[in-house]
């Protein structure tokens, strides 16, 4: 666990194990969830995203793509691999392969991400997102553009998407953005302009961005804080360094007791005279402890 010594006023009396209020963003900056969207997307873009993953119905005919079948070579190969790797689960033989291939074909036919149009693919090429198809790789040269240049077809990309990792979230975003532009739809929710939430009061958002945490006051006292949460004091304030060290070596210290060397190392770690009296007055202690507990 992270700990640090803070120099606070000797009479500083913030409750132990309670996050210093200056570290917590005030509730007044919480916005109202947008009533018209989930994550700031327009209804059209949200529907596309759901179709991308097959969360809502999709059919390959919607993009003019050829439906996959259990006999589609990439589907069949994937099914054979699955079955060979987990015969206990899938069973063995031709029936098991066909059953798994049927499941995969149905699954992938319901996901737009495997049935892109040429327009979708063009957007990905423009975004330089299809290196597996448009570039070659070698140990000597790394990734370089294919020569002559390759502009993959939708069928090639859709087959590629059945292998390996397929499309990532950036590809999804590029395809949806381009389709929204082509079809004249907003990509972001008009109600909240893509934020997913609405301001409760004027300039709330800019005020929230300007908000910064406030350190506890600085002083001559010595106190150990944990830094796993935003930051809470975990020992009383001592007026001397020795006082804090003695406390850490006693059974009063809930996470101890430490040896004298450990305690002194923690208290002294990184401490430099120039830090005394600065606004932060923080001594980072984790390293001196030789790790965390
Ligand atoms: Zn919204």
């Amino acid at each position: 666990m992270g700990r640090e010594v803070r120099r606070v006023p000797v009479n500083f009396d913030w409750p132990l194990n309670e996050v210093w209020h200056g570290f917590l963003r005030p509730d007044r900056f919480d916005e109202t969830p947008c009533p018209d969207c989930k994550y700031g997307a327009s209804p059209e873009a949200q529907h596309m995203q759901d179709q991308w993953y097959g969360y809502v119905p999709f059919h390959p005919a919607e993009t003019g793509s050829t439906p996959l079948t259990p006999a589609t070579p990439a589907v069949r190969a994937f099914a054979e691999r699955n079955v060979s790797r987990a015969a206990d689960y899938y069973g063995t033989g031709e029936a098991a392969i066909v059953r798994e291939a049927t499941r995969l074909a149905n699954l992938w036919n319901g996901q737009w991400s495997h049935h892109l149009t040429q327009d979708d693919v063009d957007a990905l090429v423009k975004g330089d997102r299809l290196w597996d198809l448009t570039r070659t790789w070698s140990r000597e040269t790394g990734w370089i553009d294919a020569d002559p240049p390759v502009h993959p077809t939708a069928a090639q990309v859709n087959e590629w998407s059945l292998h390996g990792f397929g499309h990532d979230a950036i590809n999804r975003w590029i395809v949806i953005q381009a389709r929204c532009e082509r079809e004249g739809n907003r990509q972001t929710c008009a109600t909240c302009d893509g934020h997913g939430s609405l301001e409760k009061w004027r300039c709330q958002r800019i005020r929230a961005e300007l908000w910064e945490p406030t350190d506890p006051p600085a002083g001559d006292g010595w106190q150990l804080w944990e830094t796993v949460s935003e930051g809470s004091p975990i020992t009383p304030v001592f007026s001397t360094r020795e006082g804090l060290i003695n406390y850490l070596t006693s059974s009063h210290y809930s996470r101890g007791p430490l040896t004298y060397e450990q305690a002194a190392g923690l208290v002294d770690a990184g401490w430099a005279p120039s830090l005394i009296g600065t606004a932060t007055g923080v001594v980072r202690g984790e390293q001196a402890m030789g790790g965390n507990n």
Side-chain angles (χ1 to χ4, degrees):
M1 87 165 286
R3 283 160 294 186
E4 64 190 15
V5 173
R6 281 185 175 271
R7 302 297 307 275
V8 294
V10 174
N11 63 355
F12 183 68
D13 64 352
W14 188 256
L16 298 190
N17 302 309
E18 190 166 310
V19 175
W20 168 244
H21 72 86
F23 293 154
L24 296 173
R25 200 183 80 149
D27 293 346
R28 70 175 182 279
F29 292 126
D30 294 347
E31 300 186 14
T32 306
C34 176
D36 295 331
C37 70
K38 271 193 282 187
Y39 306 109
S42 68
E44 295 83 5
Q46 184 65 51
H47 185 70
M48 291 177 205
Q49 182 167 324
D50 290 342
Q51 284 197 315
W52 181 270
Y53 294 114
Y55 298 154
V56 296
F58 169 83
H59 191 277
E62 292 181 49
T63 59
S65 175
T66 306
L68 302 165
T69 74
T72 303
V75 176
R76 168 89 193 184
F78 208 104
E80 286 177 356
R81 207 157 53 239
N82 282 354
V83 169
S84 71
R85 282 177 185 170
D88 287 349
Y89 179 76
Y90 293 104
T92 54
E94 179 64 17
I97 293 169
V98 171
R99 193 164 55 238
E100 173 63 358
T102 304
R103 184 188 73 85
L104 290 172
N106 287 337
L107 175 71
W108 291 337
N109 280 335
Q111 297 172 338
W112 173 33
S113 62
H114 300 301
H115 298 277
L116 302 187
T117 66
Q118 192 62 46
D119 283 338
D120 301 329
V121 168
D122 291 349
L124 291 173
V125 171
K126 193 174 162 199
D128 195 19
R129 296 295 305 170
L130 297 172
W131 286 15
D132 283 349
L133 299 165
T134 62
R135 298 192 180 200
T136 59
W137 187 90
S138 73
R139 192 179 294 277
E140 291 72 35
T141 61
W143 288 99
I144 52 172
D145 286 335
D147 185 21
V150 171
H151 193 109
T153 64
Q156 286 170 328
V157 173
N158 289 333
E159 196 203 319
W160 164 85
S161 76
L162 302 178
H163 307 283
F165 294 109
H167 297 289
D168 60 14
I170 299 173
N171 284 14
R172 184 198 75 215
W173 192 87
I174 287 175
V175 167
I176 291 178
Q177 183 193 37
R179 186 168 150 198
C180 284
E181 279 175 17
R182 284 198 308 276
E183 298 179 354
N185 285 316
R186 294 180 55 103
Q187 190 176 4
T188 54
C189 168
T191 306
C192 65
D193 201 23
H195 290 284
S197 57
L198 300 170
E199 290 185 319
K200 282 181 182 157
W201 39 275
R202 213 165 70 86
C203 299
Q204 182 185 19
R205 194 165 292 145
I206 189 95
R207 292 281 176 198
E209 280 167 15
L210 292 171
W211 178 82
E212 287 188 18
T214 315
D215 280 317
D220 294 329
W222 299 75
Q223 186 176 40
L224 191 65
W225 288 55
E226 60 84 12
T227 58
V228 173
S229 70
E230 288 82 354
S232 318
I234 56 174
T235 70
V237 181
F238 293 90
S239 56
T240 64
R241 168 182 170 277
E242 284 298 320
L244 178 56
I245 291 174
N246 287 338
Y247 179 86
L248 298 175
T249 59
S250 76
S251 57
H252 295 298
Y253 179 44
S254 61
R255 300 157 213 235
L258 305 180
T259 66
Y260 185 87
E261 288 70 28
Q262 286 174 330
L266 176 59
V267 172
D268 293 340
W271 183 253
S274 62
L275 282 176
I276 298 175
T278 63
T280 57
V282 167
V283 184
R284 294 281 166 187
E286 291 97 289
Q287 284 157 351
M289 291 300 297
N292 303 318
N293 63 22

